[in-house]
Amino acid sequence: MNDSAAPHHRTVYAEDLRIGQTLTLGSYTVSEDEILDFATQWDPQWFHTDKKAAESGVFGGLIGSGVHTLAICQKLVVASIFDRWHVIAGKSMRDVRFLRPLRPGDTLTGELTVDNVVLDNRSRGLVTTTAQLVDSHGNRMFEVVTEAYLHCRQTP
């Protein structure tokens, strides 16, 4: 476990979050080799794995898998935010939207917005968020709504 994920660095509890709060994600640049490697293992469709064939396809070139884009989003959310949150577990992902194809050399950045926080009597809160990624030109690339359980502070 890296230092940023250590439990003593997790300082954000469910009741600390505010509806409408927006948090900045880091950035990530995807390479052609990474697109090919990911797709070969996880989504081996020709427009993700065959550069030459993809050039004559509807997208006019190699594109990354949507699942790869989702994985990049998850990596950015965990590294930028969840490492500081007292996350118990994810509950759901929904409304996953692939708005533009992922291309070699794209740099993705984004933000996460807190949509809802519902505290329950089991010392936890259900936090609903929307994550959005944009490319280096500001074009919206991806978004997803996620629900996750977070710990609440222990009360004496």
Side-chain angles (χ1 to χ4, degrees):
M1 177 182 326
N2 66 35
D3 288 342
S4 66
H8 65 277
H9 286 110
R10 293 186 178 148
T11 58
V12 177
Y13 294 85
E15 65 268 31
D16 296 330
L17 300 172
R18 298 177 319 279
I19 295 172
Q21 181 178 3
T22 300
L23 304 158
T24 302
L25 303 178
S27 62
Y28 186 86
T29 301
V30 64
S31 70
E32 181 176 299
D33 286 343
E34 181 182 348
I35 285 174
L36 292 167
D37 290 345
F38 185 96
T40 298
Q41 183 163 0
W42 301 109
D43 192 359
Q45 298 182 76
W46 63 271
F47 44 86
H48 299 320
T49 61
D50 187 334
K51 183 177 178 181
K52 187 166 178 70
E55 289 173 2
S56 63
V58 68
F59 296 106
L62 191 70
I63 63 168
S65 167
V67 177
H68 192 176
T69 306
L70 173 62
I72 292 168
C73 183
Q74 179 68 8
K75 178 181 178 68
L76 290 174
V77 169
V78 169
S80 300
I81 296 169
F82 282 1
D83 274 354
R84 293 187 315 271
W85 288 11
H86 278 275
V87 175
I88 299 169
K91 178 183 178 194
S92 71
M93 285 185 168
R94 65 176 189 270
D95 301 327
V96 178
R97 296 181 60 208
F98 306 106
L99 304 169
R100 289 184 175 285
L102 179 65
R103 304 255 183 206
D106 276 346
T107 298
L108 304 179
T109 59
E111 61 186 25
L112 182 111
T113 302
V114 176
D115 300 322
N116 201 14
V117 179
V118 178
L119 305 179
D120 69 19
N121 60 2
R122 295 180 3 184
S123 297
R124 68 182 188 178
L126 182 62
V127 178
T128 305
T129 61
T130 300
Q132 295 185 350
L133 297 179
V134 298
D135 66 15
S136 58
H137 305 290
N139 297 312
R140 289 179 47 217
M141 299 280 295
F142 174 82
E143 62 186 38
V144 62
V145 176
T146 304
E147 292 179 311
Y149 287 106
L150 270 68
H151 289 283
C152 291
R153 284 191 171 79
Q154 297 296 329
T155 55

